[in-house]
Amino acid sequence: MAVIEVTDLRKRYADLTVLDGVSFSAEEGEIFGILGPNGTGKTTTVECVEGLRRPDGGSIKVLGLDPVKDRRKVREQIGVQLQHTQLPENIKVWEALDLYASFYAKPRDWRDLLEEWGLADKRNARFGKLSGGQKQRLFIALALVGNPRVAFLDELTTGLDPQARRTTWELIKRVRASGVTVVLVSHFMDEVEELCDRVAVFDRGKVVAIDTPAGLVDGIDAEHQMRFTLMAGDMVELGGLPGVTGVTRTGNRVVVTGRGDFATAVTAQLARHHVLVSDLRIDKRTLDDAFVALTGRSLDPTH
Amino acid sequence: MTKLTIVELKLLTREPGAMFSLLIPLFILVVFGSSIEPGDTVLLPMALAIAVGLVGLYLLPTTMATYRERGILRRLSTTPVRPGNLLVVQLLLQLVLALIACALLLVFAGTVLGAHLPTRVLPGALTFLLGTAAMFAVGLLIAALAPNGRAANGIGVLLYFPMAYLAGLMQPTDQMPDIVARIGEYTPLGAFRQSLRDVWAGGAPSPLLLGVMAVYAVVISIAAAKFFRWE
Ligand SMILES: Nc1ncnc2c1ncn2[C@@H]1O[C@H](COP(=O)(O)OP(=O)(O)O)[C@@H](O)[C@H]1O
Ligand SMILES: [Mg+2]
């Protein structure tokens, strides 16, 4: 069953078109990723789905309901972590959870959440005194305290150290295991690759692909490289093999460029001619390569 | 709603600004109070107006603008509870705070200082209600217009001094230029202080000044509602 159905969503701010016909659907029990660089309309999209912003066009169904018309019913069943929000500096962790639990008809016991999200010893700490990771975990716990069927998490690991990110990822997997559908907004490849069952790739207000992370990577036909060092035997002709587009040799170092599964053909050819090689490396294709192939630019700004 | 009120109340007690709103008027009363005559009708109305002015112009707008700035109102709109509830709760708590501040002043002045207190309750209560409504309206307008909590705080403080001066809270009105004092009487805070003083003098507050405060309360509140943004 589709838990969220978005069809041809449109949104403009003055003369800036932020969403230009966005469509996707998320299935029950999956972690659905919304991936794309900053400023491509990811937050705008989920905030329309949450009923926080009014789209200019298109239709949205959350659990079969309209988030604007059936406001209350929808909000009773969703949990939200917004990208840019804070709590009052002086509110204590338990007070925030207790308060937010009181907003829902059938909340979870917030004491369990305190344990699950590793905040038990911060129970009486004030929000302003928490570390970035602790704040983030509190936000996620607050998104879950209403016992939602769908949780929206927007950039949940921004600003966390690698250790804290890993921990958070494990906890998100547990959320999925408990049957909650998760909509995960992120501009991190590794996060999406690790967590998401399916991903909608956003670029400039449009969805350019929807697939599993592996499907996205397999679907691209980008050139990639394999490298090795010749040890013994004479170099054989590789240029004619299927998929190979180029071979360069510098001394004993060989770099073969190609598309598809050319690496298998190359290693087979080397073995057939008893060419011994070492340091064999095949560049792993990543979601980022898929993103470049889809949009013509890299998601990772360090590239 | 109950839980929201309890939590907001706790937060208010943790807010240093709330303490200041209670203590500053009391401090002024203590400093000047020792030298006043028993029949004085000036000092206590002044202290009361200061107390309400501080809450309305400083604490109320700062709290509300901070809530918007931190996205607390937005976060609340993703839950089944309407964010308007938070504003209502805040408004009520700030009203209670203003009441406590005034009660503290009256009790202290009445007992320790042996100051004169008006015997008729109704005119005093009406004046308090209208004056507080007018000051809170100004505070709400600041909250609506200020981009963030710090700006609201700044605007509140900036507005407070000229308003307090015009209202005759910095120096007694009879030491002010006549024209300034006359104008000041028709500012929200000035009308409030003058009406309180009338009550203290044993008479009824002038209907004109009560009307002036009511008009301020209504007109400025409407403007605040019109300009208010949730995010
Ligand atoms: N309230 C708003 N007013 C004007 N422009 C906005 C508003 N919200 C978002 N935008 C613009 O819309 C674009 C998409 O923003 P956003 O949805 O936050 O992207 P993302 O979450 O993918 O980083 C950005 O260029 C942003 O500046
Ligand atoms: Mg965003």
Side-chain angles (χ1 to χ4, degrees), chain A:
Chain A
M1 190 198 103
V3 164
I4 295 168
E5 268 182 284
V6 173
T7 318
D8 200 30
L9 198 61
R10 290 171 189 280
K11 179 82 186 170
R12 296 174 66 85
Y13 286 112
D15 54 356
L16 178 72
T17 301
V18 177
L19 300 179
D20 189 9
V22 165
S23 303
F24 64 87
S25 67
E27 301 294 321
E28 175 146 33
E30 71 176 347
I31 301 184
F32 186 82
I34 291 185
L35 175 71
N38 285 328
T40 46
K42 304 185 299 297
T43 296
T44 305
T45 301
V46 289
E47 292 193 352
C48 285
V49 175
E50 292 154 4
L52 275 183
R53 303 192 200 193
R54 300 286 176 97
D56 298 331
S59 84
I60 303 173
K61 285 267 175 289
V62 180
L63 300 157
L65 302 165
D66 181 319
V68 177
K69 287 201 202 94
D70 307 309
R71 187 195 137 95
R72 209 189 147 92
K73 272 193 198 147
V74 170
R75 281 162 204 212
E76 197 60 69
Q77 301 181 74
I78 66 172
V80 175
Q81 177 241 321
L82 296 174
Q83 187 178 3
H84 305 288
T85 41
Q86 300 288 310
L87 292 174
E89 284 291 289
N90 285 327
I91 199 166
K92 292 180 182 172
V93 169
W94 78 267
E95 289 170 345
L97 283 162
D98 188 35
L99 176 65
Y100 276 73
S102 77
F103 296 159
Y104 298 88
K106 293 191 206 77
R108 289 190 54 183
D109 187 340
W110 55 263
R111 291 164 198 87
D112 297 343
L113 281 165
L114 218 51
E115 290 290 339
E116 269 171 45
W117 290 86
L119 292 165
D121 56 337
K122 291 284 158 195
R123 192 191 148 107
N124 291 316
R126 293 188 181 193
F127 176 78
K129 296 265 184 288
L130 298 178
S131 73
Q134 289 161 348
K135 283 182 180 168
Q136 207 60 283
R137 274 180 280 148
L138 176 58
F139 287 137
I140 301 170
L142 286 174
L144 298 173
V145 79
N147 207 4
R149 290 180 61 194
V150 191
F152 296 87
L153 306 173
D154 196 343
E155 305 283 3
L156 81 158
T157 62
T158 302
L160 299 192
D161 61 58
Q163 178 62 41
R165 292 183 78 207
R166 288 251 149 228
T167 318
T168 310
W169 290 351
E170 289 316 309
L171 289 163
I172 298 299
K173 287 181 194 167
R174 274 208 254 156
V175 173
R176 171 178 53 193
S178 71
V180 178
T181 308
V182 178
V183 176
L184 183 84
V185 177
S186 179
H187 68 279
F188 293 121
M189 289 291 172
D190 54 350
E191 187 162 293
V192 166
E193 223 161 1
E194 170 83 24
L195 289 177
C196 294
D197 299 300
R198 291 189 313 128
V199 197
V201 180
F202 273 58
D203 186 38
R204 289 166 231 191
K206 285 189 163 73
V207 176
V208 291
I210 302 182
D211 205 339
T212 61
L216 287 171
V217 174
D218 288 345
I220 54 164
D221 197 21
E223 279 192 343
H224 57 291
Q225 295 182 325
M226 69 183 291
R227 310 150 201 274
F228 51 83
T229 307
L230 288 170
M231 297 290 287
D234 291 324
M235 181 59 179
V236 289
E237 174 60 32
L238 297 172
L241 293 173
V244 173
T245 54
V247 182
T248 55
R249 183 171 167 183
T250 324
N252 281 339
R253 276 307 278 172
V254 180
V255 178
V256 185
T257 311
R259 294 174 186 279
D261 195 19
F262 74 96
T264 314
V266 170
T267 42
Q269 177 82 336
L270 294 172
R272 232 181 346 264
H273 291 86
H274 307 289
V275 182
L276 267 178
V277 302
S278 67
D279 282 342
L280 178 76
R281 250 174 245 180
I282 303 167
D283 288 350
K284 191 174 158 250
R285 282 170 308 163
T286 63
L287 213 45
D288 195 44
D289 298 322
F291 191 83
V292 174
L294 285 166
T295 67
R297 59 203 178 115
S298 173
L299 191 106
D300 185 345
T302 57
H303 280 195

Side-chain angles (χ1 to χ4, degrees), chain B residues 33-206:
Chain B
S34 47
S35 60
I36 59 168
E37 294 145 30
D40 179 76
T41 60
V42 176
L43 186 65
L44 202 47
M46 261 173 79
L48 293 172
I50 291 173
V52 173
L54 282 177
V55 175
L57 283 180
Y58 165 75
L59 203 57
L60 179 72
T62 306
T63 314
M64 288 201 175
T66 305
Y67 277 10
R68 178 179 54 223
E69 178 195 356
R70 297 178 76 92
I72 289 161
L73 297 175
R74 284 193 99 219
R75 179 62 183 84
L76 214 55
S77 20
T78 72
T79 74
V81 170
R82 291 197 175 262
N85 289 1
L86 181 58
L87 298 189
V88 172
V89 166
Q90 264 304 322
L91 213 54
L92 289 177
L93 287 179
Q94 304 271 350
L95 181 66
V96 169
L97 185 73
L99 267 172
I100 293 175
C102 291
L104 219 60
L105 289 171
L106 291 179
V107 168
F108 185 80
T111 54
V112 180
L113 300 181
H116 161 75
L117 296 180
T119 42
R120 289 168 59 204
V121 173
L122 203 63
L126 186 66
T127 303
F128 174 82
L129 208 71
L130 289 174
T132 308
M135 291 319 296
F136 276 30
V138 178
L140 288 175
L141 185 61
I142 299 174
L145 295 176
N148 55 49
R150 283 185 53 184
N153 194 337
I155 298 171
V157 172
L158 225 61
L159 264 181
Y160 182 78
F161 286 103
M163 281 183 86
Y165 173 73
L166 282 172
L169 299 180
M170 313 281 239
Q171 60 181 148
T173 39
D174 49 21
Q175 292 171 24
M176 282 161 64
D178 212 33
I179 173 82
V180 178
R182 290 287 300 168
I183 295 172
E185 218 166 85
Y186 295 98
T187 62
L189 204 52
F192 185 36
R193 187 204 51 77
Q194 186 56 44
S195 301
L196 282 174
R197 199 179 159 188
D198 292 345
V199 171
W200 248 256
S206 112

